[in-house]
Amino acid sequence: MADRGGRGGGGCCPPLDLMRSEPMHLVQIIIPMESAHLTVSYLGDIGLVQFKDLNADKSPFQRTYANQIKRCGEMARKLRFFREQMLKASISPSTTPMTRNNIDFDDLEIKLGELETELVEVNANSEKLQRTYNELLEYKLVLHKAGEFFHSARNDAAAQHRETEARQVGDASLDSPLLLEQEMQTDPSKQIKLGFISGLVPKEKSMAFERILFRATRGNLFLKQVPIDDPVNDPVSGEKIAKNVFVIFYSGERAKTKILKICEAFGANRYPFMDDVGKQLQMIDEVSAKIQELKTTIDVGLLHRDNLLKNIGYQFELWYHLVRKEKSVYHTLNMLSLDVTKKCLVAEGWSPVFAANQIQDVLQRATFDSKSQVGSIFQVLHTQESPPTYFRTNKFTSAFQEIVDAYGVAKYQEANPGVYSIITFPFLFAVMFGDWGHGLCLLAVTLFLIFREKKLSSQKLGDIMEMVFGGRYLILMMAIFSIYTGLIYNEFFSVPFEIFGPSAYACRDASCRDATIDGLIKVRRTYPFGLDPTWHGSRSELPFLNSLKMKMSILLGVAQMNLGIVMSYFNGIFFRNALNIWFQFIPQLIFLNSLFGYLSLLIIVKWCTGATADLYHVMIYMFLSPTDDLGENQLFPGQKTLQLVLLLLAFISVPWMLLPKPFLLKKQYEQRHQGQAYARLQTTDNGSLEEQDHDSHHHGEFEFSEVFVHQLIHTIEFVLGAVSNTASYLRLWALSLAHSELSSVFYDKVLLLAWGFNNIIILIIGLIVFIFATVGVLLVMETLSAFLHALRLHWVEFMNKFYEGDGYKFSPFSFALLAEEDE
């Protein structure tokens, strides 16, 4: 539980507090009805009780407080509506902490209902006015564009008429056709009158609109479209849409009906238009006046709505948290058993042992504040159920505990790998990331997050940044250990420095080169800390640094795997499981150290003596020819005899792990069912029995074949895993070399290459490329890569030796957790 609870409760130093989960007990609380709500609310303030659902057989609608939860849900819906409206209006809820001022829940429900009704009414009126306003704007555009079209058409017609009359007077003769004269003398009553429809259509639909009209009327119409310069607000959707003004001339009612249906299908808004110029001008003036009047009315309505939302925003957070708390209280009350005859509620739940006095104080305070005549009863129940797991963490240890919990939550009182991860995780990361220049960069970023944690913790940082901020102390440890291993490797952005004094070696003659160790002689005392700078640089291509990192990886891997096996021993002691101690811990420890522990010993002896023995040859022929003489590969007297003994122990440990445990479990089962071993069952704090073993038997018949196969699988898994896990730790060596080589490439091929041109522009470009490559590849990608590999080494190679992780986390009823969920 990150950053919650802090220290306290009579604990020891932090590692011991984290080693085992807090002692838990099952408690029963009998609460009078009149003080039930206040009691549960006070318990939510301290957050130290995980209530059990005593009404699991009832549906949510059959529970006692179903109506109250429904009311809270309705109030939460209204608050979500208010939040949506504030977001639309670009109004943020006030972040100023406000006092509760004893707000009555019923009064708040009435107030929220009134505010919702008023806001809905204001929005409905505003939407109606806005739609009318948008329609009038479109109507005004139609009047202008269509008026221009009619005016242009009249001018063209008048000009054409004058041109026709002039041509008739000038060209009159006996040969002139008589048809034109007949047309001019046609009876006006027999002329066909055309109707027209005007409006706006979305520009993107204008071409399809035109084609459908011509097909539907078989070309018996005239369509004129004029695009509008700027998009307009559509009255229906309210969105800005590019539109065209259209005028359609048609003949006949049948054609009109078709055109109207097509306009509706294409979302074309139609507006009336008169061909009389005087009426057009009058209509434009009227529409303009209405637009101005509506604009003023809409502005007043929006101002009223904004003031209403601002008033809501001042107390929105207070109301929101109050409703959430009330809903969570009623959800918890629904988990309690109702005793109708005694008019009280019975609660059961898990709580830490150290919190018993605090819970009783809260119960007394709730009884006093609610003025109840009867106090609540608190008592501890004895049970065989497995309690939840609760580790009291702080902002430093929470990130390490989250790494363990991501693998699996420890079962009650199981040894917690999180204690060792505080040191081992950042150290294994640093072995792969060792460079004190890169470590200083990580340290600078982490210190920035730590120094500004109060400000950053109250801000929304985004998913990735939120994870980085939550693990700031983990990254701090990773940075410190990276600086430490970087000093050991003597690498500062891949460049060695003589930090702790001059090199112990110097060139004997001119034949000495950087690429080899030939010609180097020791001229002063050994370099005091880390790798001698003379042995760095291009000499790192030689097996020296590779061998150092490879052997160090093996030593660290074997040490951590031994730690995992030792932790299984402590689990066996704690849970009183003698079979696991004798037939799991001891043979596993012997097998692992007979092979890889011996290899580690050889590495240390070779380092201390400076011998030239080939350890590959020693380990291979230890199996192939164990009786042969070691010759020049012998590191110490009696090595051959020791190898034979260790080889024999390794072979013996395999059947030791496989055979005895299934037969002993079978014997125990037979004795128990034959009445030969009646004894009082000893239980541990977590309710586990001495005889219980998850892989031995369950309720029902004992199946020897299943138990034997299960033990066989475990034995094979450990034997093969010991080899594969040791090889897996070589990733420490591989990633360390990869990190060093990448850093060296960026330094040599980018920065030094740019420096060699003696050009300031090229140097600046090279420096920028070097910085971006270092940050992007080495400080981001390589950090993530080393982190994931360290995570895998802990989950697979370390924790699987002893950690089951099949428990469940302590999840108390806590208002503080509700606030964390909101964030």
Side-chain angles (χ1 to χ4, degrees):
M1 306 212 171
D3 298 354
R4 195 181 69 79
R7 311 307 316 164
C12 301
C13 57
L16 294 180
D17 282 345
L18 283 175
M19 180 61 74
R20 306 282 180 186
S21 60
E22 288 289 337
M24 309 289 289
H25 54 201
L26 183 65
V27 300
Q28 184 184 67
I29 307 174
I30 302 175
I31 312 171
M33 290 291 293
E34 59 268 20
S35 64
H37 182 277
L38 195 60
T39 299
V40 173
S41 179
Y42 284 176
L43 290 175
D45 289 331
I46 63 174
L48 290 172
V49 180
Q50 177 178 328
F51 290 94
K52 295 177 64 177
D53 190 357
L54 303 181
N55 299 314
D57 56 335
K58 295 182 180 180
S59 68
F61 303 102
Q62 295 174 331
R63 304 201 179 195
T64 308
Y65 295 93
N67 291 332
Q68 285 82 350
I69 290 178
K70 185 177 180 181
R71 290 171 56 195
C72 292
E74 183 64 19
M75 295 171 68
R77 181 197 61 80
K78 294 174 183 177
L79 289 171
R80 289 194 299 270
F81 171 69
F82 295 155
R83 175 177 284 174
E84 292 172 358
Q85 294 300 312
M86 286 189 288
L87 289 176
K88 290 181 180 179
S90 300
I91 297 175
S92 300
S94 176
T95 56
T96 305
M98 301 188 65
T99 57
R100 180 167 178 169
N101 294 330
N102 297 323
I103 300 176
D104 185 75
F105 194 69
D106 295 331
D107 294 341
L108 178 60
E109 183 179 19
I110 295 173
K111 186 172 185 178
L112 293 180
E114 293 174 350
L115 289 173
E116 183 192 31
T117 302
E118 183 179 0
L119 188 58
V120 168
E121 184 178 354
V122 169
N123 287 340
N125 293 334
S126 178
E127 290 176 2
K128 185 177 180 180
L129 291 173
Q130 189 66 42
R131 179 168 183 170
T132 304
Y133 177 76
N134 292 336
E135 288 177 347
L136 290 175
L137 287 178
E138 287 192 346
Y139 191 18
K140 186 176 180 181
L141 289 172
V142 170
L143 291 174
H144 279 291
K145 296 295 183 180
E148 292 175 359
F149 168 71
F150 273 86
H151 179 70
S152 176
R154 288 193 187 94
N155 292 339
D156 292 345
Q160 186 177 6
H161 183 67
R162 288 193 298 270
E163 182 181 351
T164 303
E165 288 182 348
R167 189 169 56 249
Q168 287 177 356
V169 173
D171 298 338
S173 65
L174 295 175
D175 297 330
S176 300
L178 300 178
L179 182 59
L180 181 61
E181 184 179 354
Q182 293 175 1
E183 289 177 354
M184 297 297 294
Q185 296 177 357
T186 303
D187 187 359
S189 61
K190 295 181 180 181
Q191 293 180 355
I192 299 175
K193 293 184 178 181
L194 299 177
F196 61 89
I197 297 174
S198 59
L200 291 95
V201 65
K203 192 172 184 179
E204 60 181 9
K205 300 180 180 179
S206 59
M207 296 301 295
F209 180 65
E210 184 174 350
R211 287 196 299 268
I212 295 298
L213 284 173
F214 272 89
R215 290 176 182 175
T217 60
R218 298 182 180 180
N220 294 320
L221 59 77
F222 177 75
L223 173 65
K224 177 68 175 180
Q225 292 192 75
V226 180
I228 299 176
D229 298 333
D230 300 321
V232 296
N233 291 320
D234 186 73
V236 178
S237 65
E239 298 177 355
K240 282 190 173 294
I241 302 176
K243 292 189 175 184
N244 288 353
V245 174
F246 66 86
V247 179
I248 306 172
F249 294 90
Y250 62 89
S251 175
E253 290 297 321
R254 187 175 179 181
K256 179 181 179 181
T257 303
K258 292 181 179 180
I259 294 170
L260 292 177
K261 290 182 178 180
I262 293 172
C263 288
E264 291 179 0
F266 278 83
N269 300 326
R270 306 182 308 277
Y271 297 97
F273 183 80
M274 290 158 289
D275 54 358
D276 184 79
V277 177
K279 292 183 178 180
Q280 288 178 16
L281 296 176
Q282 181 182 357
M283 186 60 66
I284 290 175
D285 293 338
E286 292 178 359
V287 170
S288 299
K290 288 182 180 180
I291 289 174
Q292 187 63 33
E293 181 180 351
L294 275 176
K295 177 64 175 174
T296 304
T297 306
I298 290 172
D299 291 341
V300 172
L302 291 177
L303 181 61
H304 175 64
R305 188 197 66 176
D306 290 346
N307 291 333
L308 181 61
L309 291 175
K310 287 179 181 178
N311 292 332
I312 293 173
Y314 290 143
Q315 298 190 6
F316 178 83
E317 294 295 334
L318 177 64
W319 294 344
Y320 179 76
H321 291 299
L322 177 60
V323 171
R324 287 209 64 186
K325 285 184 177 181
E326 290 294 320
K327 189 175 182 180
S328 63
V329 167
Y330 285 120
H331 267 299
T332 303
L333 288 171
N334 271 341
M335 300 169 68
L336 276 54
S337 176
L338 176 63
D339 189 341
V340 180
T341 58
K342 296 182 180 179
K343 296 184 179 180
C344 62
L345 291 171
V346 179
E348 291 184 8
W350 298 101
S351 71
V353 174
F354 71 83
N357 293 333
Q358 192 174 354
I359 293 173
Q360 294 183 40
D361 293 341
V362 166
L363 296 179
Q364 293 177 3
R365 183 159 57 91
T367 301
F368 177 79
D369 292 346
S370 62
K371 300 179 181 179
S372 175
Q373 300 298 322
V374 182
S376 300
I377 299 175
F378 175 87
Q379 57 185 353
V380 178
L381 301 179
H382 298 284
T383 180
Q384 300 262 334
E385 296 181 41
S386 179
T389 301
Y390 174 39
F391 295 108
R392 283 188 289 172
T393 59
N394 52 36
K395 59 185 179 182
F396 179 81
T397 59
S398 60
F400 298 95
Q401 189 61 48
E402 289 297 328
I403 290 177
V404 175
D405 291 343
Y407 177 85
V409 178
K411 67 181 180 181
Y412 182 63
Q413 294 294 305
E414 184 179 11
N416 181 21
V419 178
Y420 304 99
S421 298
I422 296 175
I423 299 299
T424 59
F425 188 90
F427 183 71
L428 292 184
F429 169 87
V431 171
M432 296 178 278
F433 194 76
D435 187 301
W436 64 277
H438 298 153
L440 286 174
C441 295
L442 282 183
L443 182 64
V445 174
T446 310
L447 291 178
F448 171 79
L449 296 177
I450 292 174
F451 290 148
R452 298 178 63 88
E453 65 181 9
K454 289 185 178 180
K455 181 178 181 180
L456 295 175
S457 60
S458 61
Q459 299 177 356
K460 292 184 178 180
L461 305 175
D463 294 338
I464 296 178
M465 194 59 193
E466 191 72 33
M467 288 189 293
V468 174
F469 179 73
R472 58 194 180 278
Y473 289 100
L474 170 62
I475 302 175
L476 173 66
M477 295 293 291
M478 290 160 49
I480 293 174
F481 277 99
S482 296
I483 295 172
Y484 172 74
T485 56
L487 292 173
I488 292 178
Y489 298 158
N490 200 351
E491 290 188 350
F492 178 83
F493 296 99
S494 78
V495 180
F497 283 88
E498 295 183 344
I499 304 174
F500 301 101
S503 173
Y505 297 90
C507 287
R508 180 176 54 194
D509 50 40
S511 63
C512 179
R513 295 176 299 160
D514 288 341
T516 68
I517 61 174
D518 296 335
L520 284 180
I521 58 173
K522 190 172 183 180
V523 296
R524 57 181 65 89
R525 64 184 180 86
T526 304
Y527 194 70
F529 186 84
L531 187 67
D532 193 300
T534 303
W535 287 79
H536 204 281
S538 58
R539 291 189 179 89
S540 64
E541 300 296 332
L542 295 175
F544 178 76
L545 188 58
N546 290 359
S547 177
L548 171 67
K549 293 184 176 181
M550 180 183 67
K551 292 173 182 177
M552 186 174 64
S553 300
I554 295 175
L555 292 177
L556 293 174
V558 173
Q560 191 172 39
M561 288 191 291
N562 272 287
L563 177 61
I565 296 175
V566 171
M567 292 306 300
S568 71
Y569 168 76
F570 286 117
N571 275 339
I573 291 291
F574 190 85
F575 294 119
R576 303 179 186 178
N577 195 328
L579 291 180
N580 283 347
I581 294 175
W582 285 102
F583 304 107
Q584 180 174 315
F585 162 71
I586 294 178
Q588 286 181 357
L589 198 64
I590 291 175
F591 180 84
L592 180 65
N593 290 288
S594 295
L595 302 179
F596 302 106
Y598 175 62
L599 174 60
S600 302
L601 175 64
L602 294 180
I603 292 173
I604 296 174
V605 171
K606 184 178 178 180
W607 280 351
C608 294
T609 60
T612 59
D614 187 353
L615 299 187
Y616 296 105
H617 185 277
V618 172
M619 294 303 298
I620 291 174
Y621 283 93
M622 177 180 174
F623 291 92
L624 297 181
S625 302
T627 59
D628 291 352
D629 291 332
L630 298 175
E632 61 181 8
N633 291 322
Q634 182 169 339
L635 293 172
F636 54 87
Q639 181 179 352
K640 178 181 175 181
T641 304
L642 178 61
Q643 288 186 180
L644 291 173
V645 173
L646 293 177
L647 191 61
L648 181 62
L649 288 175
F651 281 118
I652 292 175
S653 61
V654 175
W656 189 356
M657 283 186 282
L658 173 62
L659 298 177
K661 187 175 179 180
F663 288 101
L664 290 175
L665 289 173
K666 181 181 179 181
K667 182 179 179 181
Q668 287 182 359
Y669 177 82
E670 291 173 350
Q671 290 177 347
R672 187 180 301 110
H673 286 75
Q674 291 175 2
Q676 297 178 3
Y678 290 105
R680 192 171 77 89
L681 298 178
Q682 302 292 332
T683 61
T684 60
D685 290 339
N686 70 332
S688 297
L689 301 178
E690 180 181 355
E691 291 82 8
Q692 285 182 341
D693 191 278
H694 70 277
D695 60 357
S696 61
H697 62 278
H698 302 278
H699 296 289
E701 292 296 326
F702 181 84
E703 294 291 342
F704 178 78
S705 59
E706 292 184 6
V707 175
F708 187 83
V709 170
H710 189 78
Q711 190 66 20
L712 176 63
I713 293 173
H714 272 284
T715 303
I716 296 174
E717 182 182 11
F718 176 79
V719 172
L720 297 180
V723 179
S724 64
N725 292 164
T726 305
S728 183
Y729 277 95
L730 292 176
R731 71 183 65 238
L732 298 173
W733 163 50
L735 266 76
S736 176
L737 288 179
H739 184 85
S740 177
E741 289 301 317
L742 277 174
S743 182
S744 178
V745 167
F746 292 150
Y747 177 76
D748 294 336
K749 304 302 181 182
V750 177
L751 193 60
L752 291 184
L753 187 64
W755 182 272
F757 282 94
N758 294 323
N759 187 302
I760 187 64
I761 298 178
I762 296 178
L763 179 60
I764 293 174
I765 295 174
L767 184 61
I768 293 174
V769 173
F770 175 76
I771 292 174
F772 276 93
T774 300
V775 173
V777 178
L778 297 176
L779 295 181
V780 177
M781 295 177 61
E782 281 287 303
T783 299
L784 181 60
S785 175
F787 179 89
L788 293 176
H789 282 283
L791 192 66
R792 181 244 154 78
L793 289 176
H794 278 75
W795 282 358
V796 179
E797 279 70 30
F798 172 54
M799 290 165 55
N800 72 344
K801 301 293 187 300
F802 68 98
Y803 188 65
E804 294 185 9
D806 55 355
Y808 62 102
K809 188 179 292 188
F810 178 59
S811 301
F813 170 61
S814 172
F815 294 144
L817 295 181
L818 292 178
E820 290 179 6
E821 291 176 3
D822 292 340
E823 294 176 0

